[in-house]
Amino acid sequence: MSATTISYLNSLLDYYTPSSTYFDKARRHRASIETRLDNRLGVSEMFETGSLRHGTGVWFYSDVDYIASLKGARPTPTTALSNVRDALKDRFPNTTIRVSRPAVVCEFASGDETVEVVPAFAAPSGGFWIPNPADTAEWMKSHPKDHNSWVNKSNEKHSGAAKKLARLAKTWKYRRNVPVSSCYLEMRAAKYAGEQSSWILPMDLFYFLRNLKNVGLAAMNDPTGLGSRFTACSSTSNRDDALSKLDTAVSRAQKAYDAYMDGDDATAIAQWKLVFSQ
């Protein structure tokens, strides 16, 4: 039996959904990381965040992400990142450890067990200050726990459409090497899915990509009303690159949509395969 457009997209989702145990090896490093940071810098709390925590991780590409809320006075973002990097380099001398704002990336097992640690400082009014990816001199306000709850709430509509859409958008990002924030894509996807009165995956995936193009990957207000705006890219050059690749994706998605509406699943699938570099 020939594949349908919907079955193809669902198979793509199944393929890139990590198993419940896939990242267990990376998570094993948490205790030693937290202990080292606590001994060197002081840790108020450390918790998992990001796409794996939200249920939007992409197999093979997503890392394990932690927020490390540090004690003491808040220095510059660059100093905080350097302090975390240097503390972990001393503890894990045979591991590649580097700064990739807003996190310190630890490439355990030659990158097969990658962990990202975001230095943070608790804000008196709630949430955390984390390094701003788009401005090396600034902190940005983040409420990761509230954002997780908001995504979960949006995901209640249409049988989990928000997280499916976020995972497909991130799959496109990774497969096409698009320099756009995964968090931005996730929040945009959750906002889009939560606003729809109906849902058909091949149609809404196209509409969502087109919406990203129409807004020009503009910064997005925090939908919880608590934190800083979500920016799509860390630099102007990255934004230009991302918009160019988005334009190509939307053009192919338009052809996939038109073919789907005409009942031509073979052509629709061929176009989606181009979108996802398959």
Side-chain angles (χ1 to χ4, degrees):
M1 182 177 179
S2 299
T4 66
T5 307
I6 292 176
S7 69
Y8 164 73
L9 292 174
N10 281 328
S11 70
L12 197 67
L13 281 166
D14 290 342
Y15 183 80
Y16 283 107
T17 298
S19 69
S20 60
T21 60
Y22 181 77
F23 293 94
D24 285 354
K25 289 183 179 179
R27 288 187 174 109
R28 291 184 313 184
H29 301 287
R30 171 179 175 161
S32 54
I33 290 173
E34 185 171 2
T35 297
R36 180 61 173 181
L37 293 180
D38 191 30
N39 290 339
R40 181 68 69 87
L41 303 173
V43 174
S44 297
E45 64 172 316
M46 183 165 152
F47 57 92
E48 190 173 315
T49 186
S51 59
L52 294 182
R53 176 65 176 171
H54 292 184
T56 60
V58 178
W59 173 77
F60 186 77
Y61 294 101
S62 294
D63 303 321
V64 174
D65 302 310
Y66 292 104
I67 293 280
S69 178
L70 304 177
K71 297 178 181 179
R74 176 161 51 101
T76 66
T78 298
T79 298
L81 287 163
S82 296
N83 289 343
V84 170
R85 179 199 61 199
D86 294 345
L88 296 179
K89 273 189 172 183
D90 289 345
R91 173 62 178 82
F92 308 106
N94 298 319
T95 298
T96 297
I97 297 177
R98 56 184 174 82
V99 171
S100 179
R101 300 180 67 90
V104 173
V105 182
C106 307
E107 298 178 0
F108 296 104
S110 300
D112 289 340
E113 302 169 10
T114 299
V115 177
E116 296 193 9
V117 182
V118 177
F121 289 84
S125 58
F128 299 89
W129 291 106
I130 67 171
N132 189 333
D135 190 333
T136 60
E138 296 293 333
W139 293 90
M140 63 179 287
K141 193 75 166 295
S142 179
H143 292 258
K145 297 176 182 178
D146 296 283
H147 296 155
N148 188 27
S149 297
W150 182 80
V151 170
N152 286 336
K153 182 66 176 178
S154 296
N155 198 53
E156 292 175 1
K157 291 187 69 174
H158 312 304
S159 302
K163 294 186 179 182
K164 293 176 182 177
L165 187 59
R167 179 170 283 120
L168 287 172
K170 292 179 185 183
T171 299
W172 163 71
K173 159 197 163 72
Y174 291 123
R175 294 288 298 167
R176 284 296 179 184
N177 195 28
V178 186
V180 63
S181 163
S182 293
C183 182
Y184 177 86
L185 291 177
E186 179 173 312
M187 300 306 284
R188 282 283 186 191
K191 182 176 185 295
Y192 173 87
E195 292 174 345
Q196 304 311 305
S197 58
S198 61
W199 186 264
I200 300 175
L201 181 56
M203 298 172 63
D204 284 289
L205 179 56
F206 161 60
Y207 294 153
F208 173 66
L209 291 173
R210 187 178 62 180
N211 177 259
L212 290 178
K213 177 183 176 179
N214 288 343
V215 301
L217 294 178
M220 174 187 176
N221 289 332
D222 184 343
T224 68
L226 298 171
S228 303
R229 284 160 63 84
F230 292 94
T231 55
C233 304
S234 60
S235 68
T236 300
S237 60
N238 280 347
R239 182 172 180 272
D240 291 342
D241 185 19
L243 284 171
S244 175
K245 290 174 178 176
L246 177 60
D247 186 64
T248 299
V250 171
S251 176
R252 290 166 172 167
Q254 174 78 66
K255 294 174 182 176
Y257 169 83
D258 291 342
Y260 172 76
M261 296 301 290
D262 289 340
D264 184 355
D265 283 312
T267 298
I269 292 170
Q271 289 298 321
W272 283 122
K273 285 184 175 181
L274 289 175
V275 171
F276 295 106
S277 185
Q278 283 197 312

